[in-house]
Amino acid sequence: MNGRPGIRADGSPAGGAAAGSGPASARARSLPPAPPRPGARGPFAESWWGNAWVRALEDSSLDAGRLSRGRTYARGGHVGTITVTPGRISAPVSGSRPRPYRTVIRMRVLTEREREAFLDAVCAQPAHIAALLDKDMPHALVDAAAAAGVRLLPGPGEPDPACSCPDSGRPCKHAAALCYQTARFLDADPFVLLLLRGQDEEGLIDELARRNAKLSAQGAGTDTHAGTGSGTGTGTGTGEGIPYSPPGIPARDALATSVRPPLPPPLEPPAAPGEPPLLPELPGAPDPAALTFLATGAARRAHAALTTGPAALERLPPPHDAVRLAATHPQLTGRGTFSDLFARLARGSGHTAQGLARAAAAWRQGDEGLSVLETVWDPPAGGFDRARGALAAAGLPRMTIRHNRLTDATGTLQLRYGRDGRWYPYRSERTGDGQRQEWWPEGPADSDPVAALNALTEG
């Protein structure tokens, strides 16, 4: 998506002020997913500016079917956490595959000249300031901004959608869902629209307060360049002409007491680990897909530590940590064919892709699985010796013994005895070049060799 004509590398449209320009740097906002409303009907927006946003989307679309599916996706809770930054809205949107699509909506940010003109238009009417502070955007304010040459609502070619899905529609159903869901947040807070144009709420309020105080001081005949710093009158000694405000109580004094209320009970762990937010693509920054991969793995380990205990956070040597990732990470698959992410993990940890896949399969067999794959040992007399008798009594074929391994006569099935007293099933598979066979872990371990072999033959 980066490198498109008219778009900066940071995602903001060319020709506008970049995020962070002006007296107050624009900030990002995260908007949590809205709950599903399956079967709901009616408009997505209630405010007139929210409806103007929806109209801009629908007027720019050439496919009513995609819009209809986008509305269904939005009502069905397919849109994840929405991140709003200057000139950009992004969110993961779930579709037909397990991994959500990366969906982005772009808007043009205001230039510095437009920003100044907008602030002048707001300050010209005290009612405009009051409306913004009350989370309202009256027609009069938008009209006044337009008269000053500043467009707040979407114009021609806006909003500009992009999505990682293979659909070339503009918008596709995922981008349409994100647009419809955004309309609900615009209803509740018009500052979301202003942030899209490059102006964050805190910076806007601070700038309006500064200008309003300066105008008030000028109207009262105050010399705005003569602060006395004495703590009386209308000056603060900063030369800004802002009315004097007495100092408050330092936080350290307010908290200087040994009396503390009891801590609340800890929250229950969530039912499932959270998903990382959609990360931006920035020049010189790490690959967002790789960062998302690592963040997903960290979230799953943290969730496991909360639900099963701190053993889930055990530090492992890098080769074994790569095996853990390959075995537990939801984005990794591999046995016959390997994803690019899987192959990169294998190369980075000193494994072949095939070897990492076998080790991951062994890891999933249980705590001792990796050791059973990698080591051969001679078990003492006892449970291991009784296994062949148990197999014969169950009418199963006789198996040959070699160290801690029992192999059937065909050379395709094997049970490996672990130091934990459990039996680990293996199946032989011919390599891709057909030159040799490799033993692959196949299914969970079992303390009963008969049950382990039966599960292997039935599989």
Side-chain angles (χ1 to χ4, degrees), residues 304-357:
L306 288 173
T307 54
T308 64
L313 301 179
E314 177 189 4
R315 292 180 63 88
L316 297 171
H320 283 186
D321 199 44
V323 173
R324 176 191 61 78
L325 272 172
T328 60
H329 201 289
Q331 295 179 23
L332 290 186
T333 57
R335 179 146 180 174
T337 59
F338 305 97
S339 67
D340 178 64
L341 200 58
F342 193 100
R344 288 167 59 189
L345 178 63
R347 289 194 301 270
S349 58
H351 295 87
T352 64
Q354 197 85 345
L356 182 60

Side-chain angles (χ1 to χ4, degrees), residues 74-86:
R75 290 191 174 105
H78 287 243
V79 181
T81 298
I82 297 177
T83 302
V84 182
T85 54

Side-chain angles (χ1 to χ4, degrees), residues 411-422:
T412 58
L413 304 179
Q414 189 177 87
L415 296 180
R416 298 187 180 185
Y417 190 61
R419 296 180 188 274
D420 57 355
R422 295 165 63 82

Side-chain angles (χ1 to χ4, degrees), residues 417-452:
Y417 190 61
R419 296 180 188 274
D420 57 355
R422 295 165 63 82
W423 293 91
Y424 290 76
Y426 274 71
R427 187 185 303 275
S428 176
E429 293 185 3
R430 192 167 294 278
T431 58
D433 56 14
Q435 299 301 311
R436 57 191 176 85
Q437 289 185 314
E438 288 184 337
W439 289 103
W440 280 81
E442 188 79 27
D446 200 300
S447 58
D448 180 4
V450 175

Side-chain angles (χ1 to χ4, degrees), residues 175-189:
L178 175 56
C179 279
Y180 282 119
Q181 202 69 286
T182 301
R184 292 176 174 166
F185 293 112
L186 291 176
D187 269 350
D189 188 354

Side-chain angles (χ1 to χ4, degrees), residues 8 27 66 82 86 91 122 162 195 325 347 382 385 400 412:
R8 288 194 181 93
R27 298 172 174 83
R66 286 186 173 93
I82 297 177
V122 174
L195 178 56
L325 272 172
R347 289 194 301 270
D385 295 329
T400 60
T412 58

Side-chain angles (χ1 to χ4, degrees), residues 33-280:
R37 300 193 307 171
R41 291 293 182 267
F44 269 82
E46 298 177 359
S47 64
W48 73 268
W49 60 87
N51 279 305
W53 172 271
V54 171
R55 281 196 304 274
L57 163 69
E58 296 178 343
D59 290 346
S60 64
S61 175
L62 301 178
D63 190 335
R66 286 186 173 93
L67 293 180
S68 176
R69 291 191 291 275
R71 288 191 292 269
T72 301
Y73 269 32
R75 290 191 174 105
H78 287 243
V79 181
T81 298
I82 297 177
T83 302
V84 182
T85 54
R88 194 175 191 268
I89 312 169
S90 61
V93 180
S94 300
S96 56
R97 69 177 188 180
R99 178 67 179 166
Y101 295 106
R102 297 167 58 87
T103 307
V104 175
I105 305 297
R106 291 184 174 87
M107 293 273 286
R108 191 183 69 84
V109 298
L110 302 180
T111 65
E112 185 63 24
R113 184 201 63 78
E114 290 171 327
R115 178 181 175 279
E116 291 295 320
F118 170 68
L119 292 170
D120 290 342
V122 174
C123 289
Q125 291 289 338
H128 295 341
I129 301 176
L132 283 177
L133 295 179
D134 199 32
K135 305 292 186 183
D136 188 19
M137 186 179 290
H139 276 285
L141 171 57
V142 175
D143 292 343
V150 180
R151 179 182 288 277
L152 297 180
L153 295 171
E158 295 179 321
D160 179 22
C163 185
S164 62
C165 75
D167 187 353
S168 59
R170 291 181 60 81
C172 66
K173 59 189 175 185
H174 312 102
L178 175 56
C179 279
Y180 282 119
Q181 202 69 286
T182 301
R184 292 176 174 166
F185 293 112
L186 291 176
D187 269 350
D189 188 354
F191 279 104
V192 173
L193 179 60
L194 295 177
L195 178 56
L196 275 173
R197 290 302 193 192
Q199 181 61 66
D200 69 300
E201 179 176 356
E202 182 181 344
L204 176 61
I205 291 175
D206 287 349
E207 180 66 9
L208 292 177
R210 187 187 70 80
R211 292 186 178 213
N212 189 49
K214 185 174 182 178
L215 290 173
S216 298
Q218 289 173 343
T222 303
D223 181 3
T224 59
H225 299 283
T228 64
S230 62
T232 60
T234 60
T236 61
T238 63
E240 292 294 336
I242 301 174
Y244 169 75
S245 176
I249 299 174
R252 61 177 177 273
D253 294 341
L255 297 175
T257 173
S258 59
V259 179
R260 296 286 187 273
L263 293 174
L267 297 175
E268 289 294 325
E275 293 290 334
L278 195 69
L279 300 173

